[in-house]
Amino acid sequence: MGLPIPNSKLGLWLFLGTEIMFFTAFIGAYIVLRIGSPGWPTDPADTHILVFWGGFNTFVLIVSSYFVVVAHEAMAKKDFKRARQYLTYTMALAFVFLGVKSYEYYGKFSHDILPSHIAETPTQAIYKVDRELEQVVRKRFAVYTDAEAIDVAQPDDLATVSAQLDVFAKSSEGTDSGLKASVPHDVALYGKWQNIHQHIVANVSLEKVPVATGPRYLAAREALQEGESLPALEFAEVTAELERMKSDPNYGEAVQSGVFKPHPVLYGNLFASIYFLMTGFHAIHVIVGMLLFARPLLQGNNLDEKWTDWVENSGLYWHFVDLVWIFLFPLLYIA
């Protein structure tokens, strides 16, 4: 009885109260994890955090909040043409915000800064190189199997495909000289990956132990004295071999585009999970706000005073979305 406001506005304030608790849980959990994780990734080369664009998006949302205030004022004065104009400005800035956010997300995906994809230790980085090199080899071999240049019952068996490619390159049948010319390079790439893979499985040095399988490897193991072991594989050896592969003119470009630079990032997966969780939910709220603004805009010249409360309530929701980002920006981009 003491609140002379429409039921819709009261309901929205109650809803915003639940939203505050929702984002407070996210922000509070992030602060606790951030403070309790010494060595948290802050280097832009590791996080691909673009402070400029985060700041630009903050400016965009603040201006859009001003525009929606002007739109509500125009609705109260029954200047519906001006209200539509500023609601359109607000909608346009929302698209700008999502466009910038899409650009930032693209940077994360293109640098493989994704939850569960980031190597946090040298050992994890080595295994990631192994997996990515295997995918490069599979893509190169798929060119031949998809073109039916070779006939293999199990195209996923890379050893069998490699053997068939040798036969294909030496045969006089077929007219595709381009495919045959690339076979030695792709087989060589397969051999390089196999060598790294075998050393990873055996955990022996690439430089000090030439081969990690076969009679020579077994003889080296048998020659060890009691308590001795072969030199272990080191992260620097794998990165050096990878750089040599990337510089090869025959298959280096494929390796360069398919294998990310191995670089352990402590707490990298936790950072990526928090970043996408918080900014993703915020982006969803931005889209909801855009849908709220779309309703009165779709009225066109029929927009009238009946939509005044709708515009006001939508503006309140939009201010909340803006306020949340004002917290997220310094926490995720600057702190």
Side-chain angles (χ1 to χ4, degrees):
M1 292 174 62
L3 297 174
I5 61 174
N7 290 338
S8 59
K9 189 174 183 179
L10 176 60
L12 181 67
W13 277 113
L14 292 173
F15 171 71
L16 291 181
T18 66
E19 289 287 275
I20 290 171
M21 291 186 286
F22 179 80
F23 277 101
T24 299
F26 282 164
I27 293 172
Y30 165 72
I31 291 174
V32 170
L33 292 170
R34 173 71 174 81
I35 294 175
S37 304
W40 187 269
T42 56
D43 187 347
D46 296 335
T47 63
H48 202 66
I49 285 289
L50 306 176
V51 178
F52 170 80
W53 289 112
F56 177 78
N57 259 354
T58 304
F59 174 76
V60 165
L61 283 184
I62 291 173
V63 174
S64 69
S65 281
Y66 167 74
F67 285 161
V68 79
V69 169
V70 175
H72 174 246
E73 182 184 30
M75 290 291 294
K77 294 180 179 180
K78 299 185 179 182
D79 187 351
F80 303 117
K81 180 179 179 180
R82 189 163 186 259
R84 287 199 309 272
Q85 178 183 2
Y86 278 88
L87 283 175
T88 302
Y89 292 161
T90 304
M91 181 72 81
L93 289 180
F95 275 110
V96 170
F97 178 90
L98 290 180
V100 171
K101 183 53 60 182
S102 298
Y103 170 71
E104 291 185 288
Y105 275 21
Y106 172 77
K108 299 291 188 298
F109 278 87
S110 62
H111 290 78
D112 206 30
I113 304 175
L114 301 170
S116 79
H117 284 223
I118 302 172
E120 298 189 359
T121 65
T123 300
Q124 290 179 0
I126 290 173
Y127 279 103
K128 184 178 181 183
V129 169
D130 181 34
R131 293 192 302 270
E132 291 173 351
L133 272 177
E134 180 182 356
Q135 291 306 312
V136 172
V137 173
R138 289 189 181 280
K139 288 180 181 179
R140 302 277 286 197
F141 279 10
V143 173
Y144 306 97
T145 55
D146 292 346
E148 298 183 351
I150 57 175
D151 184 18
V152 289
Q154 295 180 331
D156 291 336
D157 185 352
L158 296 181
T160 301
V161 175
S162 178
Q164 289 292 328
L165 285 176
D166 281 330
V167 175
F168 168 68
K170 297 173 183 177
S171 69
S172 58
E173 299 178 1
T175 59
D176 198 333
S177 59
L179 279 179
K180 288 187 177 181
S182 63
V183 166
H185 310 312
D186 292 334
V187 171
L189 174 60
Y190 167 76
K192 289 284 188 181
W193 165 69
Q194 268 292 88
N195 184 48
I196 293 176
H197 178 72
Q198 290 164 357
H199 279 79
I200 291 173
V201 172
N203 190 27
V204 292
S205 171
L206 273 167
E207 297 176 359
K208 299 176 182 177
V209 183
V211 292
T213 187
R216 291 177 60 189
Y217 172 68
L218 295 176
R221 288 184 62 87
E222 291 174 359
L224 294 173
Q225 300 295 323
E226 185 176 353
E228 290 183 337
S229 61
L230 294 174
L233 180 66
E234 296 182 3
F235 175 65
E237 294 177 322
V238 176
T239 57
E241 179 65 15
L242 182 62
E243 289 305 313
R244 286 191 288 269
M245 293 176 67
K246 288 182 176 181
S247 63
D248 190 286
N250 298 312
Y251 49 72
E253 185 176 348
V255 176
Q256 180 73 36
S257 61
V259 182
F260 289 92
K261 183 178 180 180
H263 180 52
V265 180
L266 186 62
Y267 299 116
N269 292 299
L270 184 57
F271 158 79
S273 298
I274 288 175
Y275 175 85
F276 282 105
L277 180 70
M278 296 174 72
T279 61
F281 270 109
H282 180 265
I284 292 173
H285 283 70
V286 170
I287 294 172
V288 171
M290 295 170 69
L291 294 175
L292 293 176
F293 293 137
R295 285 291 305 278
L297 284 173
L298 289 174
Q299 303 306 308
N301 294 328
N302 295 324
L303 186 66
D304 54 27
E305 63 274 5
K306 295 194 300 290
W307 290 90
T308 301
D309 288 346
W310 182 285
V311 172
E312 181 183 11
N313 293 334
S314 301
L316 287 174
Y317 177 84
W318 194 250
H319 296 327
F320 169 78
V321 172
D322 187 1
L323 183 62
V324 169
W325 183 256
I326 290 175
F327 279 95
L328 295 184
F329 170 62
L331 286 173
L332 294 177
Y333 286 75
I334 299 176

